[in-house]
Amino acid sequence: MRSRSNSGVRLDYYQRIVHRLILAHQEPVTGLFPASNVNSHAWIRDNVYCILAVWGLSMAYKKIADQDEDRAKCYELEQSCVKLMRGLLMAMMNQKDKVEKFKMTQSPYDSLHAKYSSKNGLPVVEDGEWGHLQIDAVSLYLLILAQMTASGLQIVFSLDEVSFIQNLVFYIESAYSIPDYGIWERGDKTNHGEPELNASSIGMAKAALEAMNELDLFGARGGPASVIHVLADEAHKCQAVLQSMLPRESNSKELDSGLLCVIGFPAFAVDDAQLIHNTKDAILSRLQGKYGCKRFLRDGYRTPKEDPSRLYYERWELRMFENIECEWPLFFCYLILFHAFQNDKRSVQEYADRLEKIMVRSEDGTLLVPESYAVPQDLVGFEYQKPGSQLREVVGRCPFLWGQSLFILGRLLQEGFLAVGELDPLNRRLGAQKKPDVVVQVVIIAEDNEIRDKLAEHDLHVQTIAEVAPIEVQPARVLSHLYTYLGRNRKLGLSGRKSRDVGILSTSKLYSLKDRIFAFTPQFADLSRFYIASDNELMIDILKGEINFLKSAWDLLGRPLVTLVLKRIHLDQDKIPLAMIQTMRKLKSGYINGTRVMLGSLKDFLNTSAITDLSFLGSTEDGYPDRLHPDVQTYLDEHLLRSFSNRSTMNLRGGQLRPRTLRRRMSCKGAIKKTRSINVDSDNLGMEGPSPLTERRLSSVVPPPWLQANKQSHVSVFATTPEEGPSTPSLLLGNELVIRENIYPVDPHGQNRSAIDRRSEFVRQQEITVPKILIQRHRAETNFADTEVEELIAMLRETENLEEQGDILQYLVDTQGLDFNTGMLEEGRVVTVRDLLKGLYEKACQQKLWGLVRHTAGMLGKRVEDLAKAVTDLLVRQKQVTVGMPPNNEHTITAPLPEGELRQLIHDAYGDDESTAMLTQELMVYLAMFIRTEPQLFHEMLRLRVGLIIQVMAKELSRTLNCDGEAASEHLLNLSPFEMKNLLYHILSGKEFAVSSVARGNLSIVSCKSSRVSKKSQIGLGDPEGEDALIATIDDRQGQWLRRRRLDGALNRVPRDFYSRVWTVLEKCQGLAIEGRVLQQSLTQEMTPGELKFALEVETALNQIPQPEYRQLVVEALMVLTLVTEHNMVPTLGGIIYVEHLVHKANQLFLEDQRKVQGDATLCCAKIKDGKEQQQAASGMLLCGGAAYICQHLYDSAPSGSYGTMTYMSRAVALVLDCVPKHGEMECAIS
């Protein structure tokens, strides 16, 4: 430090500046800052930034306060900070009803206002007249409140205020899934008032949640009641989404300088040093100019081309703002602070010099930070020609207090009056430093002595629930219930936490409550939740995933502690499943999947675990903080008794036998099967075109065996065939429904022949005249009009076979409904069909009959507990999800929906097909698991089309098992959840797999190691009669590229930078037509190349193509076009390009070559045509079953090589486009 006199003098100079520029504007009544002399509105964000300089200066004074007047100055500055923070607190507390409502609705109209009157703190504009929902502003307030409290300021005065701030934490905790208007209050950059997910808001919320966690708002004088609690998982979700978005800001802004406040001061929200570096570099390279940084690309605000008379922009005019966006000196202030915290003195000096050059001097010589610099009207033309060349002029406020305040902070740091740690007392800046490895502690507890003894046989010694006392072990749902008491306040009308979700980070701590200690089992192990919890292998798989997740995500004091209870339900035929024993041995060894673990007992880990105090459960409002809230007391007393006791399942046996029911035993058979709608046909996925004239594929005709007359209880989604599309006169006649199906004669033993045989069989079948069978269905009752309900119920009691019980119950539900009284009694209670279904569901879970489990779960309307969460996990990582079978029933989900609406949407998409609807929910949960743990699987995929994925899974099974489509979908629905997840993983990652048959007809998916053998995949599958297993060997080389294109097409995978490259093509032509949808050139006027909105436009056009393999060829054609533009072969590509013409032209060239060399295609498409075949081609069938009139063999060609698809595409481009020179030498570059 310098001698007192010099530093004191220098500080007094800053004190005068702060007083004159900032404090002079502070309103005496509310403590708020008006926006300017003419505008009395006070923005939360600007106000918090304004006061930072005052706070910084007060801490600088505190350090040198050796005279009373300095102490007085320090106190005066501190109290100005308190006054402002309390002014904002009062303004927000006036809107407490909004905070309460917003927890439920998350609607922009229920959000806290973004600005208030600086005179009285009241609202100044109506709810709908401004983009009020700005999560980053409330988060910034909470973050700075936490930092100031930690630095010793007393801002919060009463426990009511503490409850309000606890509710503000709930307000921002779902920031990762709430689209808002963001730091520039605009939302989508066209300024039409559409909110979007903004990385800067999510980052600020993450920082605020972490800063607030376990913070005592009364500082050193507080007690347990004034502590704020945050569920660590919510902050972590914000972090995961933030990491998946950066350096993108939102769907419409591919980059934003506002991210500087997230990667550096004040938020320090990113833990990954490389990501911080990449984001900063992206901003500097694309947004930095001489006068500061642009806010984002094509930002029209205050540019000379902006029309000030209207709030919004036309979509086409955004292109005009390119290169003339205003530059904001504010960002140089952020960069100075960023580098000061990095301790990079050279960069600090560089930006300080740059900033000084563009600051404005006032009359008395003070340096002022202006709001922004714009290009003058008369120089716009020159600026367009040579960006960055023209002099700019100041527009907006000067001084701009937000920037001025940050500038003063930077000066205090540069001159050594402040150390960086003082501006960050919570040490957030250290987040990106490397952390030591986490050791995960695991405790396994046995439900009772019997299970303990069984484990001891395997040399695994554990305690029982009774033995771990006084520590109490509870399921996660108890913790989630206790957390609903957090933040409740009767006086303010606040109801506490709404979300019922507690993640693994929250259950990996111990909790103390008065003198009791609780341990909670993780949420995934809660059996009452969903059927996937009864698949032990899947549970083990999830456990390994969660342990791995803890290794990377845990950042609390102490070690994470995972408590698991082994129960009776987990036993398999009274033995502990082998998979569990193996996993426990692995845990015992100290490492599992590369994570360090310790297996031990609870009491060993008491001292090393994180412990949280649940003090908020006291009756503070009634004046008894030491007593438990009476509701909590009764809840705990009730719950402790029954939380781990098993419920008895309902027994269907008993009652007298009635022989006469036997002859009707078959009457319900297949009731469940009839509801299925997965369509796997011979050569293309069930993607019928939208009308019979556009190629309606005829190959969906493998007849299901249940199509005997009088059995149809559900109209298949794909019931009409090409000839009788709409041409059949109205199918609904009175109550009769006539369904027409094409039935091919199918060889009953055809399942075991090689694929080649079956293909030629298929070709022969084309020539057979196709018999038509009319299937009539009168009203559903006619089937069983004579079967009384009592008889069915008697049959139900007799039959041991669960499948049969399922069929009977399916019929009862269809005819009588779920709540129908069956006339049985159980312990004096009436038994409804629903109760019987529940009993069946539980039994099916125990016996692992997964097809039945999925179906009954669907009928009971069981929902995957985490469905909404899973969908949100996918959406917030910029993946849209579609459900239903394309193209007619596909619904796209683009924004997070509540649980109920999601279930309804999925239900509507699949009609009566409960099994597939259930499977869809299940797959969404697995997709969400994968995107959390292995985001790289999803690169270059924008939409996840679950219906299509289901069809591809069935198709892959049918290929690997060499069985027909119906058997394959039956196998698919009967896969255990673990195998289902495994199959999905193999399909996403494109790995080859084989299927091996395990006990009880269950299939198991095994990866093929890529060796010579993998060409021949060995599949052992016992056939139904249980004779010797048949081993079929298929030559996998054939169909390899077709399969790959089909997978990529179904997963919507595209090459790297595909969308931004399509943008360059679109810029050079008037439009691209794909399957009747034209992408206009005007899209390039509205959107930048890297913008997500543009990618979605292209994706939507591609999704019009029903066949995945054809879609993939269109993508390849577009790639060839991008090569043409990137090598600047031609100045323009001319008018609208019909991309499909290119593909069909390539197909023609391919067939010509095939005729020349007598290739495989001469058997189908390259054959010399005769009359009969002409007729067939007209009806829309290719001999080889290729989709969209493209030969199957072209789909199956590799992209490269002289007969590769890219070669033909390039030739097609040369032929079709007028602009490409027809002769002369050309450089050919095809990668």
Side-chain angles (χ1 to χ4, degrees):
M1 272 292 169
R2 306 181 190 79
S3 76
R4 152 75 189 122
S5 53
N6 290 346
S7 54
V9 169
R10 192 73 183 138
L11 270 186
D12 290 343
Y13 163 71
Y14 280 120
Q15 195 257 342
R16 284 197 297 281
I17 288 185
V18 165
H19 189 84
R20 199 166 60 241
L21 294 185
I22 298 179
L23 290 177
H25 299 291
Q26 189 170 20
E27 280 288 342
V29 179
T30 56
L32 303 179
F33 293 104
S36 66
N37 299 332
V38 289
N39 180 352
S40 67
H41 297 180
W43 271 261
I44 296 180
R45 184 183 307 100
D46 297 53
N47 271 256
V48 173
Y49 276 121
C50 284
I51 208 68
L52 286 181
V54 182
W55 177 50
L57 190 60
S58 77
M59 289 189 291
Y61 264 117
K62 198 185 255 176
K63 280 204 295 202
I64 63 154
D66 52 356
Q67 296 173 3
D68 287 349
E69 62 177 305
D70 288 342
R71 290 199 196 98
K73 275 180 194 155
C74 165
Y75 184 70
E76 184 190 330
L77 291 166
E78 284 181 351
Q79 291 311 103
S80 295
C81 298
V82 174
K83 174 94 178 168
L84 173 105
M85 295 300 276
R86 286 193 61 74
L88 287 172
L89 181 62
M90 294 309 111
M92 289 191 276
M93 282 183 80
N94 282 332
Q95 296 197 311
K96 57 185 184 296
D97 304 343
K98 285 185 166 300
V99 175
E100 180 59 30
K101 247 170 108 177
F102 186 81
K103 285 190 295 195
M104 300 296 287
T105 63
Q106 295 182 351
S107 146
Y109 296 113
D110 294 328
S111 66
L112 284 171
H113 282 196
K115 57 179 188 175
Y116 300 95
S117 158
S118 59
K119 300 271 188 289
N120 54 19
L122 295 175
V124 281
V125 288
E126 291 300 312
D127 294 349
E129 288 174 13
W130 196 260
H132 282 302
L133 178 50
Q134 296 167 31
I135 290 178
D136 73 303
V138 179
S139 302
L140 175 73
Y141 175 79
L142 290 175
L143 170 66
I144 300 301
L145 174 72
Q147 293 277 28
M148 285 181 172
T149 304
S151 77
L153 297 188
Q154 176 82 47
I155 295 168
V156 176
F157 291 176
S158 70
L159 286 177
D160 292 326
E161 289 172 10
V162 173
S163 329
F164 180 74
I165 286 175
Q166 178 68 66
N167 278 275
L168 283 187
V169 167
F170 300 147
Y171 180 89
I172 64 166
E173 79 178 352
S174 305
Y176 62 90
S177 63
I178 302 178
D180 70 342
Y181 293 100
I183 185 170
W184 310 124
E185 309 193 290
R186 302 208 139 189
D188 186 301
K189 71 174 172 212
T190 51
N191 213 13
H192 281 260
E194 300 157 27
E196 46 181 15
L197 269 187
N198 290 295
S200 51
S201 296
I202 296 171
M204 199 55 85
K206 177 214 177 218
L209 290 170
E210 288 180 345
M212 274 287 163
N213 192 17
E214 305 291 319
L215 178 81
D216 192 329
L217 286 177
F218 290 175
R221 304 192 187 84
S226 51
V227 174
I228 295 292
H229 297 269
V230 177
L231 275 83
D233 300 273
E234 303 298 329
H236 190 270
K237 280 181 206 155
C238 289
Q239 168 176 330
V241 174
L242 179 66
Q243 282 188 324
S244 75
M245 287 178 80
L246 289 177
R248 181 188 297 285
E249 159 74 354
S250 69
N251 281 4
S252 70
K253 305 185 200 66
E254 57 175 286
L255 199 56
D256 191 315
S257 297
L259 290 169
L260 286 171
C261 64
V262 168
I263 58 174
F265 180 82
F268 302 107
V270 186
D271 295 350
D272 177 350
Q274 189 56 48
L275 193 55
I276 294 176
H277 184 75
N278 296 350
T279 307
K280 180 183 70 101
D281 283 359
I283 291 171
L284 297 188
S285 63
R286 302 191 56 189
L287 298 172
Q288 181 175 301
K290 260 190 299 198
Y291 296 90
C293 298
K294 301 164 176 172
R295 300 191 303 179
F296 48 88
L297 299 170
R298 300 190 178 179
D299 168 20
Y301 183 56
R302 294 221 175 102
T303 55
K305 290 274 185 194
E306 183 183 47
D307 177 353
S309 64
R310 58 170 200 249
L311 270 175
Y312 61 92
Y313 303 132
E314 297 297 349
R315 303 201 178 273
W316 50 265
E317 68 179 330
L318 288 172
R319 186 69 181 261
M320 301 191 313
F321 304 137
E322 197 160 322
N323 297 327
I324 59 161
E325 304 98 332
C326 291
E327 293 179 357
W328 295 57
L330 163 73
F331 297 113
F332 283 167
C333 303
Y334 272 117
L335 284 162
I336 290 173
L337 291 170
F338 178 88
H339 291 295
F341 274 90
Q342 300 267 350
N343 203 11
D344 175 355
K345 295 206 168 68
R346 215 183 77 239
S347 303
V348 169
Q349 198 48 53
E350 179 197 333
Y351 281 107
D353 297 344
R354 281 185 171 200
L355 185 59
E356 202 147 323
K357 286 192 193 113
I358 55 173
M359 288 174 77
V360 178
R361 281 195 183 274
S362 66
E363 291 121 35
D364 58 2
T366 316
L367 286 173
L368 306 179
V369 179
E371 185 166 5
S372 57
Y373 278 93
V375 182
Q377 183 74 47
D378 48 342
L379 300 177
V380 168
F382 301 112
E383 182 75 14
Y384 276 144
Q385 284 160 15
K386 192 172 174 216
S389 58
Q390 304 304 308
L391 288 173
R392 295 180 172 232
E393 59 191 13
V394 172
V395 291
R397 293 166 281 183
C398 184
F400 179 45
L401 292 188
W402 173 352
Q404 193 74 34
S405 173
L406 293 181
F407 168 68
I408 292 169
L409 273 188
R411 271 301 177 78
L412 291 172
L413 284 172
Q414 281 162 281
E415 296 187 23
F417 290 117
L418 279 179
V420 285
E422 291 172 286
L423 282 179
D424 177 29
L426 292 169
N427 294 329
R428 294 202 46 73
R429 63 192 183 286
L430 309 177
Q433 296 184 355
K434 204 163 158 27
K435 302 178 185 65
D437 271 355
V438 172
V439 180
V440 180
Q441 305 170 142
V442 183
V443 175
I444 293 170
I445 297 174
E447 187 178 33
D448 52 30
N449 297 348
E450 193 184 331
I451 292 180
R452 179 192 64 190
D453 301 341
K454 284 193 166 128
L455 279 172
E457 291 167 23
H458 297 276
D459 196 32
L460 294 163
H461 301 286
V462 302
Q463 294 180 301
T464 61
I465 293 185
E467 289 168 350
V468 296
I471 302 174
E472 301 172 44
V473 180
Q474 290 290 337
R477 58 176 183 273
V478 177
L479 181 62
S480 119
H481 183 83
L482 293 180
Y483 264 120
T484 58
Y485 289 90
L486 182 56
R488 286 195 188 183
N489 187 299
R490 281 199 302 271
K491 272 194 276 185
L492 291 171
L494 297 171
S495 66
R497 186 169 187 261
K498 278 289 172 285
S499 160
R500 301 304 301 238
D501 190 42
V502 286
I504 185 81
L505 292 172
S506 305
T507 53
S508 299
K509 300 193 280 191
L510 291 172
Y511 289 84
S512 62
L513 180 57
K514 304 293 165 259
D515 41 10
R516 301 154 76 172
I517 294 183
F518 289 97
F520 292 98
T521 57
Q523 199 163 341
F524 71 80
D526 201 341
L527 267 177
S528 66
R529 293 165 60 80
F530 188 54
Y531 63 78
I532 55 180
S534 46
D535 181 4
N536 296 327
E537 284 183 303
L538 183 69
M539 289 289 98
I540 290 169
D541 193 48
I542 294 177
L543 170 69
K544 288 177 184 165
E546 299 284 77
I547 288 179
N548 207 5
F549 170 76
L550 283 171
K551 169 178 142 184
S552 57
W554 184 261
D555 55 359
L556 303 165
L557 290 171
R559 290 173 172 175
L561 171 73
V562 181
T563 312
L564 299 163
V565 176
L566 193 60
K567 309 184 189 175
R568 281 277 168 80
I569 308 173
H570 295 139
L571 299 184
D572 191 9
Q573 295 162 352
D574 226 30
K575 288 194 192 67
I576 293 171
L578 184 62
M580 286 196 170
I581 298 291
Q582 288 168 338
T583 309
M584 287 182 207
R585 293 214 168 112
K586 253 193 193 156
L587 289 169
K588 206 171 163 183
S589 74
Y591 273 93
I592 188 159
N593 294 12
T595 307
R596 281 193 58 198
V597 288
M598 275 180 79
L599 193 62
S601 65
L602 274 175
K603 60 175 189 303
D604 303 343
F605 294 146
L606 269 180
N607 299 330
T608 49
S609 304
I611 298 192
T612 297
D613 189 12
L614 294 174
S615 51
F616 59 83
L617 296 172
S619 314
T620 316
E621 283 196 274
D622 302 327
Y624 296 108
D626 301 335
R627 278 193 213 162
L628 272 187
H629 194 291
D631 302 352
V632 180
Q633 189 64 58
T634 47
Y635 175 77
L636 284 175
D637 293 347
E638 274 176 30
H639 213 88
L640 298 187
L641 300 175
R642 57 152 211 263
S643 62
F644 284 106
S645 62
N646 286 334
R647 290 166 304 165
S648 61
T649 51
M650 184 150 305
N651 187 7
L652 294 175
R653 316 274 316 129
Q656 83 273 33
L657 296 174
R658 291 194 188 174
R660 50 177 275 226
T661 57
L662 293 177
R663 63 199 160 85
R664 297 220 182 84
R665 176 59 66 80
M666 295 307 291
S667 55
C668 299
K669 189 164 177 51
I672 289 183
K673 223 176 206 182
K674 292 170 195 168
T675 62
R676 302 277 157 85
S677 69
I678 303 177
N679 185 26
V680 183
D681 47 49
S682 53
D683 271 305
N684 57 301
L685 298 187
M687 308 187 55
E688 315 308 66
S691 77
L693 303 170
T694 66
E695 321 125 3
R696 198 72 185 260
R697 246 57 73 227
L698 211 139
S699 35
S700 62
V701 290
V702 181
W706 37 264
L707 263 178
Q708 299 111 11
N710 288 336
K711 280 286 178 67
Q712 184 85 346
S713 76
H714 163 62
V715 185
S716 153
V717 187
F718 310 106
T720 49
T721 55
E723 292 93 340
E724 338 42 279
S727 59
T728 324
S730 150
L731 284 171
L732 278 164
L733 319 164
N735 283 335
E736 276 182 308
L737 188 54
V738 181
I739 298 166
R740 303 192 169 180
E741 282 276 1
N742 265 348
I743 306 293
Y744 274 177
V746 165
D747 169 10
H749 308 290
Q751 306 208 0
N752 305 338
R753 289 170 318 169
S754 75
I756 313 296
D757 275 5
R758 288 182 52 226
R759 177 167 288 171
S760 57
E761 172 81 352
F762 181 74
V763 173
R764 278 208 310 282
Q765 284 174 3
Q766 310 295 314
E767 282 119 42
I768 302 173
T769 52
V770 177
K772 297 269 186 296
I773 297 179
L774 278 187
I775 297 155
Q776 259 124 355
R777 181 178 88 158
H778 298 279
R779 292 184 298 284
E781 294 92 89
T782 52
N783 286 358
F784 299 107
D786 49 344
T787 310
E788 303 88 24
V789 175
E790 300 92 81
E791 291 190 19
L792 284 173
I793 288 172
M795 278 162 61
L796 198 57
R797 290 180 165 186
E798 280 160 41
T799 173
E800 280 289 340
N801 178 342
L802 293 189
E803 300 280 351
E804 221 167 281
Q805 294 184 9
D807 283 338
I808 296 173
L809 287 173
Q810 169 75 45
Y811 172 70
L812 281 175
V813 171
D814 287 346
T815 53
Q816 313 290 337
L818 274 174
D819 295 314
F820 174 71
N821 177 356
T822 58
M824 295 199 236
L825 288 180
E826 169 104 1
E827 296 165 5
R829 252 179 352 97
V830 168
V831 176
T832 59
V833 174
R834 186 190 303 271
D835 297 326
L836 295 178
L837 259 180
K838 277 186 186 149
L840 176 65
Y841 166 76
E842 286 171 9
K843 277 191 191 155
C845 277
Q846 279 165 12
Q847 295 186 21
K848 313 276 185 265
L849 299 169
W850 296 112
L852 189 59
V853 167
R854 286 189 176 98
H855 192 81
T856 47
M859 285 164 66
L860 283 167
K862 279 199 176 294
R863 60 172 199 269
V864 185
E865 296 271 336
D866 302 340
L867 181 62
K869 206 172 83 192
V871 172
T872 303
D873 276 338
L874 295 166
L875 290 173
V876 295
R877 288 173 175 80
Q878 297 89 60
K879 309 287 174 216
Q880 297 191 347
V881 185
T882 69
V883 296
M885 297 298 176
N888 303 336
N889 271 20
E890 211 171 12
H891 300 282
T892 306
I893 305 170
T894 53
L897 293 172
E899 200 95 42
E901 281 178 44
L902 262 177
R903 279 222 43 227
Q904 195 49 50
L905 184 81
I906 293 173
H907 193 80
D908 296 346
Y910 294 103
D912 294 344
D913 185 356
E914 301 286 4
S915 314
T916 315
M918 243 20 237
L919 182 55
T920 299
Q921 298 189 32
E922 197 182 318
L923 290 178
M924 284 175 167
V925 172
Y926 302 152
L927 285 168
M929 284 179 192
F930 290 139
I931 204 164
R932 282 206 303 270
T933 52
E934 303 189 47
Q936 70 281 2
L937 289 176
F938 296 84
H939 280 329
E940 311 303 333
M941 290 158 60
L942 280 181
R943 275 202 182 97
L944 302 168
R945 302 167 76 185
V946 183
L948 208 48
I949 291 176
I950 292 178
Q951 288 180 347
V952 170
M953 286 167 89
K955 187 114 206 164
E956 285 290 276
L957 278 182
S958 112
R959 182 183 69 87
T960 343
L961 296 173
N962 198 10
C963 60
D964 67 353
E966 201 209 337
S969 50
E970 201 50 42
H971 282 312
L972 179 69
L973 287 167
N974 275 302
L975 283 181
S976 77
F978 175 69
E979 297 301 348
M980 187 70 76
K981 179 173 177 232
N982 221 343
L983 176 61
L984 177 64
Y985 180 78
H986 279 90
I987 280 176
L988 282 178
S989 57
K991 287 184 181 153
E992 287 289 330
F993 66 91
V995 179
S996 67
S997 170
V998 198
R1000 288 195 300 196
N1002 285 353
L1003 299 180
S1004 122
I1005 312 287
V1006 230
S1007 298
C1008 292
K1009 296 284 171 283
S1010 55
S1011 64
R1012 287 289 156 86
V1013 194
S1014 78
K1015 291 280 185 280
K1016 307 247 182 291
S1017 84
Q1018 253 79 30
I1019 301 146
L1021 187 74
D1023 48 356
E1025 288 76 47
E1027 292 160 18
D1028 298 340
L1030 165 110
I1031 293 190
T1033 319
I1034 310 172
D1035 184 354
D1036 254 6
R1037 261 166 307 200
Q1038 187 170 17
Q1040 200 177 356
W1041 279 103
L1042 168 64
R1043 168 173 175 264
R1044 176 129 180 224
R1045 285 197 171 95
R1046 196 172 269 163
L1047 282 183
D1048 284 346
L1051 294 170
N1052 287 9
R1053 232 189 226 125
V1054 293
R1056 282 196 57 182
D1057 302 327
F1058 172 73
Y1059 298 108
S1060 52
R1061 292 164 83 170
V1062 171
W1063 191 92
T1064 56
V1065 174
L1066 200 50
E1067 207 179 17
K1068 290 200 173 180
C1069 65
Q1070 280 168 20
L1072 291 167
I1074 301 172
E1075 189 90 359
R1077 231 184 136 123
V1078 182
L1079 293 169
Q1080 298 288 355
Q1081 187 184 13
S1082 62
L1083 285 176
T1084 59
Q1085 305 287 325
E1086 180 192 342
M1087 302 170 189
T1088 53
E1091 198 172 304
L1092 204 60
K1093 272 167 60 185
F1094 177 72
L1096 287 168
E1097 290 283 341
V1098 179
E1099 168 85 349
T1100 308
L1102 286 171
N1103 281 357
Q1104 301 295 310
I1105 302 175
Q1107 314 85 343
E1109 55 269 55
Y1110 183 42
R1111 176 187 199 274
Q1112 228 30 34
L1113 280 187
V1114 171
V1115 168
E1116 287 174 38
L1118 284 167
M1119 283 309 282
V1120 173
L1121 285 173
T1122 64
L1123 293 171
V1124 174
T1125 54
E1126 278 164 25
H1127 293 287
N1128 278 331
M1129 292 152 82
V1130 286
T1132 163
L1133 296 174
I1136 291 183
I1137 299 174
Y1138 291 88
V1139 185
E1140 285 144 290
H1141 289 189
L1142 298 176
V1143 180
H1144 285 281
K1145 189 72 187 167
N1147 187 43
Q1148 268 174 358
L1149 296 168
F1150 169 74
L1151 295 179
E1152 281 164 25
D1153 277 7
Q1154 285 281 307
R1155 288 193 190 103
K1156 284 180 201 154
V1157 299
Q1158 287 296 304
D1160 290 347
T1162 48
L1163 295 174
C1164 50
C1165 306
K1167 224 183 200 170
I1168 313 303
K1169 294 212 163 29
D1170 58 18
K1172 191 190 291 178
E1173 303 200 349
Q1174 293 278 307
Q1175 185 187 348
Q1176 229 170 9
S1179 74
M1181 265 312 290
L1182 291 186
L1183 284 182
C1184 57
Y1189 299 106
I1190 303 284
C1191 179
Q1192 190 84 352
H1193 296 284
L1194 180 63
Y1195 286 126
D1196 205 13
S1197 311
S1200 55
S1202 54
Y1203 292 104
T1205 51
M1206 288 306 245
T1207 315
Y1208 291 112
M1209 294 284 183
S1210 321
R1211 285 168 57 190
V1213 168
L1215 289 169
V1216 175
L1217 294 189
D1218 312 330
C1219 55
V1220 180
K1222 294 285 178 264
H1223 41 77
E1225 286 296 303
M1226 282 195 82
E1227 190 60 35
C1228 182
I1230 289 181
S1231 51

